Amino acid sequence: MKNQTLKTLTNAHAWIGLIISFVLFIVFIAGSISLFRANIDTWEKVSLIGEHAPHSKGVSYDAVLAKLDEQYHVDTHHGFYLYEPSERNPFVQVYFAVELDEPHPETGEDHQDMYLLLDPITGDVIADANDFQYANFVYHLHYDLGLGRIGLYFVGIITLFFFVALLSGVVIHWRKLFKNFYQYRFGANKDKWLDAHNLIGTMGLPFHIMYAFTGLVFNLVIIYQISYALILYQGSQEKVLQAAGFNEPHIEEADKRMPMQGIDALYPRAMEEMGDVTLRLMMIEHFGDENAVLIFMAKSNDEFSNEVDVRYTLKDQQQIYITTDNYDNNLRGGLATIASLHFGDFAGYGMRIAFFILGLATAYVIITGNLMWISKRAKQKKQSKRSLTFVTRLTSGAFIGCMAAIALGAVAAKVIPLDLAGRMTSVQAIVYISFFISIIASLFIKQQPMFCHYTLKLSGLLYALAALLNMPNYLQFGDVLSNMVLVDLVIVDVMLITIASLCWYGALKFAKKTEQVQQDISQPDAELSTAS
């Protein structure tokens, strides 16, 4: 490859990395934590679980739904989702929509979504599950930055550029990829950061490519659907879905009311017919209607990422569909495989821990890439000192602010009372506000090494505090909590302490690097002053 071509490619790699770095850092940090989303969910509401433990094995879904149907006017046009109780969660979880007499004052919708935790025997409402959504909130930060559909597509575009940066990085280092694979120069400060950046980037390349590809599939799938619909199927979205294997029978509503009974009888039948599976959830189409359909969705225990569905009409309990070959379609089977790869849920906790480590390592690669770019640009005489200072401060504020904000959210999730109205709204506000305060403060603070040092240490203390705040739950509920819940608590606490340790260790390292970057930026001025 010609030197000019390589130089151009290197510049493109650096610029793309800089532009996407801030969003990509949030995506990988939040994604790494979200690998333990189910564990964090248990960790957040452990006191509520302790008050209602142990979970009941004699669940009557018919009684629960009868009680629910009396209390709420469930919207027939929206799906009704039902999650069974478990050792990890002793409640029946239901997600549905209720019809409103007047449009909602905030959303303007004619319905309102409900997400409730119910007593598995009586059907009484224990709590609003929306108040225990810290884990889900962090997960949303991972794939849409908490901005909904716009954020989903935005992250998809960032992921596309990430994929381009990966390919350009491979081309740049291809000639020395194996020669310098184990090179890590401890003596030279500058080369040490470069070597670490290249080494981690190379070792994590399969992981990065997998995440870039699967992230593109999830975030920009609507673009593929629209393209196929317009070009191959004359604009028919229905034909696209049928070709993709979404061909389960659909029954129209009869517009006649009927009690939702018969789930207790269908449950053992469905589990037997699906074979060796783990039930993910149950869903009712047209809840309360004579043509209601009950759907059992499960994951196979003996095959990699295979999904199994079975459907029954509730009025006569007739089976109308069952998966025979992983959604009966290679495309849907492939999507299920991609999902398992992305979430790391196909090989137990060992794989999730590996993905967690690689995710944090990727965040390190992003940070060092930015700092090396700044140092390199600072040595160019025509480079604006003001713009470099801005990028340096933005890097410190955004990266460290992300760590501090998520830590504050974890502390708030443990400190804010469970029965406080708008509890989750407060947690989200704390995360967003602290993140933006960190960025603004960083832009006005001249002593960046000091800012990085103390803010990272504060972040570490907050992660450790979030773990310590969980200690009373071991003492209060340790004798009634199941082993699975206790394992969840330990996993989350260890994860928090690990991140806390990394923040504390990084406080010194990144402060030194930031100090070096500031010296590089100030160097041209010092040389100019000496010359004059």
Side-chain angles (χ1 to χ4, degrees), residues 14 23 50 56 90 101 203 208 227 287-288 313 331 337 358 361 384 425-426 442 447 459 471 500 522 529:
V23 174
S56 174
D101 296 331
M203 293 181 67
H208 298 148
S227 302
F287 184 96
T313 52
L331 175 60
T337 302
L358 286 167
S384 168
T425 302
S426 300
S442 178
Q447 296 298 324
S459 301
M471 292 301 112
S522 303
S529 176

Side-chain angles (χ1 to χ4, degrees), residues 46 414 466-478 489:
V46 61
K414 299 300 290 186
L468 290 174
L469 287 171
N470 197 43
M471 292 301 112
N473 292 311
Y474 290 103
L475 301 175
Q476 185 177 0
F477 304 112
L489 300 185

Side-chain angles (χ1 to χ4, degrees), residues 388-508:
L388 282 180
T389 300
F390 173 78
V391 174
T392 303
R393 295 179 180 180
L394 183 61
T395 296
S396 302
F399 291 170
I400 300 176
C402 172
M403 300 299 296
I406 293 176
L408 273 172
V411 172
K414 299 300 290 186
V415 171
I416 297 178
L418 301 182
D419 57 352
L420 180 70
R423 179 179 181 276
M424 196 58 221
T425 302
S426 300
V427 173
Q428 293 177 4
I430 289 171
V431 172
Y432 285 127
I433 292 173
S434 59
F435 176 69
F436 286 112
I437 287 177
S438 177
I439 293 178
I440 299 301
S442 178
L443 292 176
F444 288 95
I445 292 177
K446 294 182 179 180
Q447 296 298 324
Q448 284 295 298
M450 181 183 68
F451 173 82
C452 293
H453 182 80
Y454 288 108
T455 308
L456 266 175
K457 279 191 172 181
L458 175 61
S459 301
L461 290 174
L462 288 170
Y463 281 108
L465 177 60
L468 290 174
L469 287 171
N470 197 43
M471 292 301 112
N473 292 311
Y474 290 103
L475 301 175
Q476 185 177 0
F477 304 112
D479 57 338
V480 296
L481 294 175
S482 68
N483 291 334
M484 183 175 289
V485 172
L486 291 174
V487 168
D488 283 346
L489 300 185
V490 171
I491 287 173
V492 177
D493 288 339
V494 170
M495 179 190 69
L496 292 172
I497 294 298
T498 300
I499 299 176
S501 302
L502 291 174
C503 288
W504 196 267
Y505 175 77
L508 179 62

Side-chain angles (χ1 to χ4, degrees), residues 304-374:
F304 177 70
S305 71
N306 270 16
E307 303 285 342
V308 182
D309 286 8
V310 62
R311 299 178 175 232
Y312 305 94
T313 52
L314 274 175
K315 65 179 178 181
D316 53 15
Q317 299 193 352
Q318 294 296 310
Q319 183 192 110
I320 58 173
Y321 173 85
I322 185 170
T323 302
T324 57
D325 185 20
N326 201 24
Y327 283 105
D328 302 326
N329 182 275
N330 289 333
L331 175 60
R332 292 182 69 175
L335 289 175
T337 302
I338 288 174
S340 289
L341 286 172
H342 191 87
F343 297 118
D345 61 358
F346 56 89
Y349 281 112
M351 184 59 69
R352 295 188 190 185
I353 292 172
F355 278 21
F356 176 74
I357 294 172
L358 286 167
L360 295 182
T362 304
Y364 174 86
V365 170
I366 295 169
I367 295 174
T368 54
N370 269 34
L371 294 176
M372 288 189 299
W373 181 91
I374 295 169

Side-chain angles (χ1 to χ4, degrees), residues 28 162-163 166 170 177 181 199-214 341 355 358 362:
F28 270 96
F162 175 51
F163 193 67
L166 287 176
V170 171
L177 193 64
F181 185 79
L199 182 63
I200 296 174
T202 302
M203 293 181 67
L205 189 60
F207 171 82
H208 298 148
I209 292 177
M210 182 274 291
Y211 262 107
F213 174 73
T214 57
L341 286 172
F355 278 21
L358 286 167
T362 304

